[in-house]
Amino acid sequence: MTQFQLPENSKLLSSDFILGVATAAFQIEGGAEHRLPSIWDTFCDTKGKIADGSTGLTACDHFNLWREDVELISEFGVDAYRLSISWPRVIKENGELNEQGAQFYLNILNALQAKGIKAFVTLYHWDLPQHLENKGGWLNRDTAYKFAEYADKISQFFGDKVHAYATLNEPFCSAFLGYEDGTHAPGKVGKEYGKKAAHHLLLAHGLAMRVLQKNSPKSLNGIVLNFTPCYPESTSKEDLQASQYADQYFNHWYAEPVLAGKYPEIIDTMPDWQKPDILDGDLDIISTPLDFLGVNFYTRAIYRANACDIFEQISPPAPITDIGWEIFPQAFTDLLTSLNAKYALPPVYITENGAAMDDKLENNQVNDADRVAYYQAHFNALDEAIKQGVDVRGYFAWSLMDNFEWAEGYLKRFGLVYVDYKTQKRTIKQSGLAYKKLIRDRQS
Ligand code: FCB
């Protein structure tokens, strides 16, 4: 049987290192008739936006199958489960709590608690209520305050059931993909939007941090950021500068305000029409100290200098995963050690890491040796970063099960568990079995 191997002294194997699995509401739940529409419903209904023309109306039907799914999670022996709350399921259009919707999550939290599984809850994994988008969405500063109100209501309702809260998942994706290049909902395109939306998202994060610290002082409260480390195509000064610019534009644009209370220096070189609208005190709110930083890592990106656009991303060299992302585990170590060198980091949790592979279900099995190799290489890279002094306390595989992969629809499978979308049957892949063994052997 396939197994992961780690050095005996690896921190990943210690009993206080959290090993878990992650999902997000829109990607697995379905049950859309019981909640308000989100920007992703609208985006899915817009022709040509989703590769297979699919929607999140049913997804993995987790809305109905959550009990079985909690059993499945518990079968892995995980210490923690990372899930997200659908804002349009728990808050009515008039701002009041939708108790039925909130109860859906409380039932899950109770079931996790009964099994001794810690809940890592993300409040915003991209599914903005459509009625807020109709008022400008993340381009409207007021959305940040609406988010803080939502955080207030839901954290009061959950009481002490949550081990860790992340305000936002990957604000880069919400801001850049959603409002600048338009490949994600709500699909707005324009350099005049991206950084403005980003600022309001970061403000929402800071406001919600303060609410969570008040309502849930015992939980770990933080944010999840994604990083795609930037490398130059050559050793030329121009390529190096291009990659450094891209690093500030895509990665540190989110990390630096949160961890150091300022935007990266490229802000000074940007034309005013691209800059965010920053009010006095915003950066103090945004840099409210974190209990933890969630880091999502999948791949790196390579850049060359470009006279018109400053930087240009080149196509990734092999090997790549089924979604076209280069497999380059060294970047995982480099990322963590460089973040540690640049910032005074709070404890870090790897909140997502994993790979889409072209899985085949045969004889009730998925022999995803390629995914096993991806995980193994990334465990080694993480182990190395920890040995170099980065304070990483946990790791979540993305994802528990195959699900709605945003603009790719159901075409890309990231799960440790295979989902047959016709029957909703779940089958643990070889990678899942290996992960389960890693967790269980560690505990025994
Ligand atoms: C991340 C998202 C997650 C999933 C993975 C593959 O950017 O947070 O929902 O789609 O990518």
Side-chain angles (χ1 to χ4, degrees):
M1 189 192 127
T2 338
Q3 289 194 29
F4 292 121
Q5 310 244 319
L6 278 159
E8 239 174 71
N9 67 354
S10 171
K11 191 171 169 208
L12 273 76
L13 299 177
S14 74
S15 56
D16 59 353
F17 190 87
I18 286 185
L19 289 175
V21 288
T23 64
F26 191 85
Q27 295 180 274
I28 63 165
E29 284 176 3
E33 65 283 15
H34 300 285
R35 58 161 175 76
L36 296 175
S38 82
I39 53 174
W40 272 93
D41 296 301
T42 312
F43 199 63
C44 290
D45 288 343
T46 314
K47 214 168 169 270
K49 298 294 184 192
I50 310 297
D52 58 358
S54 63
T55 70
L57 295 181
T58 308
C60 305
D61 199 21
H62 176 72
F63 183 78
N64 293 306
L65 300 175
W66 66 269
R67 286 180 194 78
E68 289 87 331
D69 288 338
V70 171
E71 285 299 326
L72 183 64
I73 293 164
S74 134
E75 214 185 292
F76 274 90
V78 290
D79 306 302
Y81 172 50
R82 175 173 179 243
L83 70 156
S84 84
I85 308 299
S86 159
W87 182 354
R89 193 182 291 292
V90 299
I91 300 290
K92 297 180 189 168
E93 194 162 339
N94 65 8
E96 281 171 19
L97 188 78
N98 177 336
E99 296 228 2
Q100 262 185 340
Q103 189 62 42
F104 167 68
Y105 296 106
L106 193 57
N107 292 342
I108 295 177
L109 295 178
N110 284 332
L112 292 171
Q113 194 176 49
K115 299 210 174 271
I117 300 170
K118 296 180 168 66
F120 276 61
V121 165
T122 305
L123 293 179
Y124 186 70
H125 203 125
W126 308 354
D127 42 359
L128 185 73
Q130 180 61 42
H131 63 90
L132 292 180
E133 180 57 35
N134 297 345
K135 295 189 180 138
W138 289 111
L139 294 173
N140 181 350
R141 186 177 167 95
D142 193 45
T143 301
Y145 295 89
K146 291 277 187 326
F147 180 71
E149 286 164 27
Y150 149 51
D152 182 37
K153 296 219 161 65
I154 200 70
S155 58
Q156 286 194 40
F157 186 80
F158 289 159
D160 61 1
K161 302 278 174 194
V162 175
H163 182 79
Y165 276 108
T167 53
L168 308 178
N169 176 71
E170 304 188 349
F172 156 80
C173 293
S174 302
F176 180 80
L177 302 180
Y179 291 86
E180 190 167 327
D181 90 341
T183 50
H184 276 190
K188 271 186 119 51
V189 181
K191 265 191 178 274
E192 67 271 42
Y193 302 131
K195 298 303 188 207
K196 289 186 172 52
H199 186 69
H200 295 147
L201 279 149
L202 292 171
L203 180 65
H205 152 73
L207 293 168
M209 275 299 293
R210 294 180 173 194
V211 166
L212 293 171
Q213 283 171 340
K214 185 166 128 291
N215 290 356
S216 191
K218 291 204 183 121
S219 58
L220 301 175
N221 301 316
I223 188 170
V224 170
L225 301 178
N226 63 304
F227 294 88
T228 304
C230 303
Y231 291 72
E233 185 188 24
S234 76
T235 53
S236 77
K237 197 170 120 235
E238 290 74 20
D239 285 351
L240 186 63
Q241 279 172 351
S243 74
Q244 285 169 344
Y245 190 99
D247 200 29
Q248 291 191 32
Y249 198 86
F250 295 120
N251 296 319
H252 294 285
W253 196 271
Y254 304 87
E256 204 158 324
V258 168
L259 295 166
K262 60 186 174 61
Y263 279 107
E265 56 195 28
I266 56 165
I267 193 169
D268 298 330
T269 65
M270 283 178 175
D272 280 346
W273 58 272
Q274 285 182 22
K275 287 185 187 168
D277 305 315
I278 307 170
L279 302 192
D280 277 355
D282 282 2
L283 282 155
D284 289 338
I285 297 171
I286 292 171
S287 59
T288 302
L290 305 173
D291 298 327
F292 79 98
L293 174 69
V295 170
N296 291 356
F297 173 84
Y298 290 92
T299 189
R300 69 159 174 175
I302 305 174
Y303 293 92
R304 68 164 64 121
N306 176 302
C308 311
D309 290 328
I310 307 175
F311 57 80
E312 174 190 345
Q313 191 180 346
I314 64 159
S315 328
I320 55 170
T321 62
D322 194 40
I323 202 166
W325 300 349
E326 186 190 1
I327 303 173
F328 193 74
Q330 177 63 43
F332 198 14
T333 313
D334 294 350
L335 166 69
L336 292 167
T337 53
S338 67
L339 287 176
N340 203 32
K342 185 172 162 74
Y343 301 110
L345 289 183
V348 171
Y349 289 80
I350 306 307
T351 32
E352 285 181 31
N353 174 237
M357 295 296 179
D358 185 16
D359 297 323
K360 299 274 174 282
L361 178 69
E362 281 157 355
N363 304 323
N364 242 350
Q365 288 189 1
V366 178
N367 288 313
D368 55 342
D370 41 9
R371 183 177 288 102
V372 172
Y374 178 97
Y375 276 115
Q376 177 67 64
H378 287 76
F379 290 155
N380 294 345
L382 175 58
D383 190 49
E384 180 55 34
I386 295 173
K387 288 193 169 129
Q388 289 186 35
V390 189
D391 181 10
V392 183
R393 308 261 176 107
Y395 174 95
F396 292 81
W398 182 272
S399 175
L400 166 67
M401 57 184 160
D402 297 336
N403 56 49
F404 176 80
E405 180 43 40
W406 308 112
E408 302 288 342
Y410 297 96
L411 300 177
K412 304 297 173 198
R413 295 178 176 271
F414 272 92
L416 293 172
V417 173
Y418 185 92
V419 176
D420 177 336
Y421 295 109
K422 287 202 188 84
T423 60
Q424 292 298 348
K425 182 165 184 256
R426 279 81 160 125
T427 306
I428 304 185
K429 303 176 191 176
Q430 287 302 314
S431 57
L433 294 172
Y435 194 51
K436 178 172 158 182
K437 183 159 168 42
L438 175 80
I439 297 169
R440 294 203 175 262
D441 283 359
R442 180 198 55 156
Q443 283 162 350
S444 61

